[in-house]
Structures are given as C-alpha cells and as structure tokens.
C-alpha cells in the first residue's frame, strides 16, 4: 500500500476526564497516515481516484473540535472511522498528541497511536 500522511493537524478540543479540560479545552495534534493504492490516480492524474487529503484534514479537525470524549483513545478511534469512510483508504494509522495533558511531572507529549483497516483491507 502507498501512504498519504497528514502531520501536525491541530484543533482545540474539550476532550478529557477532568472538569477543567472540559471547560478550558486544550490543543490536540493529530497525525494520520492513510494507506491506499495510488497507482490509478497517478496514471490518470486524477484526484477522484485517490483520497482528497485536504477534505480529510478538514473532517479530522472538525472531529477534534467537535463532540468531547473522555479518552484520547476514543478520539483516535473516531478519527480512524472518518479516514476509513473515504472509499480510497484501505487502512489508517492515527496518532493523537495531547501536549498539554494534566500531568504533574515535566514531559514533552502524550500520544495514543492506533491502526485500523477496512475488513479485507491492507495487511
């Protein structure tokens, strides 16, 4: 499979288990690696035969900024579903970064990464 990777998509969301996270919100950063076969699109130089990564990016940010969830694991699963809804995408790897997580010790980032595929999709 070929890959189209969106790195560093940002949105402000109200995700988290603590009341402050639900009121104040925080920035979430998402990386999405879409797995698909781009050969037909390349042969025909045709956007309709591949994933429109601009449209996918807008949908992902809308989810980040949309309905809150407690866990970034849940957010990652929602984002994966959006990517897999694109007919060209066979599998996706999502990483959700929560750089402002409420942790009491110094840290650089907290991430959750998941990989999902369509039934009968990429191995």
């Amino acid at each position: 499979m070929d890959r189209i990777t969106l790195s560093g998509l940002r949105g402000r969301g109200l995700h988290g288990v603590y009341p402050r996270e639900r009121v104040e919100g925080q920035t979430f950063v998402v990386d999405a690696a879409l797995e698909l076969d781009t050969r037909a699109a390349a042969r025909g130089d045709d956007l309709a035969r591949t994933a429109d990564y601009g449209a996918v990016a807008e949908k992902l940010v809308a989810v980040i900024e949309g309905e809150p969830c407690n866990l970034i694991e849940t957010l990652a699963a929602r984002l994966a579903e959006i990517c897999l809804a694109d007919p060209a995408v066979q599998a996706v790897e999502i990483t959700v970064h929560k750089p402002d997580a409420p942790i009491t010790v110094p840290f650089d980032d907290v991430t959750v990464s998941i990989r999902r595929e369509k039934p009968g999709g990429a191995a």
Side-chain angles (χ1 to χ4, degrees):
M1 285 281 110
D2 304 321
R3 291 169 68 100
I4 295 174
T5 303
L6 297 162
S7 300
L9 295 173
R10 286 175 170 67
R12 189 150 184 89
L14 300 175
H15 313 290
V17 297
Y18 298 110
R20 191 180 86 178
E21 294 178 292
R22 291 298 184 108
V23 172
E24 296 176 15
Q26 59 194 293
T27 298
F28 293 85
V29 182
V30 170
D31 305 322
L34 313 175
E35 297 181 21
L36 64 159
D37 186 343
T38 63
R39 289 177 288 194
R43 268 193 307 274
D45 199 23
D46 185 1
L47 177 60
R49 302 182 84 176
T50 188
D52 180 343
Y53 54 80
V56 172
E58 289 174 2
K59 291 174 186 175
L60 294 177
V61 171
V63 171
I64 295 167
E65 295 177 343
E67 181 182 347
C69 52
N70 290 330
L71 303 177
I72 58 175
E73 292 87 342
T74 304
L75 179 58
R78 289 178 183 175
L79 296 167
E81 288 175 15
I82 292 297
C83 294
L84 291 175
D86 186 297
V89 176
Q90 296 303 305
V92 64
E93 183 174 324
I94 297 286
T95 299
V96 176
H97 301 259
K98 190 174 180 180
D100 299 320
I103 297 177
T104 61
V105 297
F107 73 102
D108 289 330
D109 199 4
V110 173
T111 65
V112 168
S113 296
I114 65 170
R115 185 178 186 285
R116 300 289 185 268
E117 61 185 60
K118 288 181 178 170

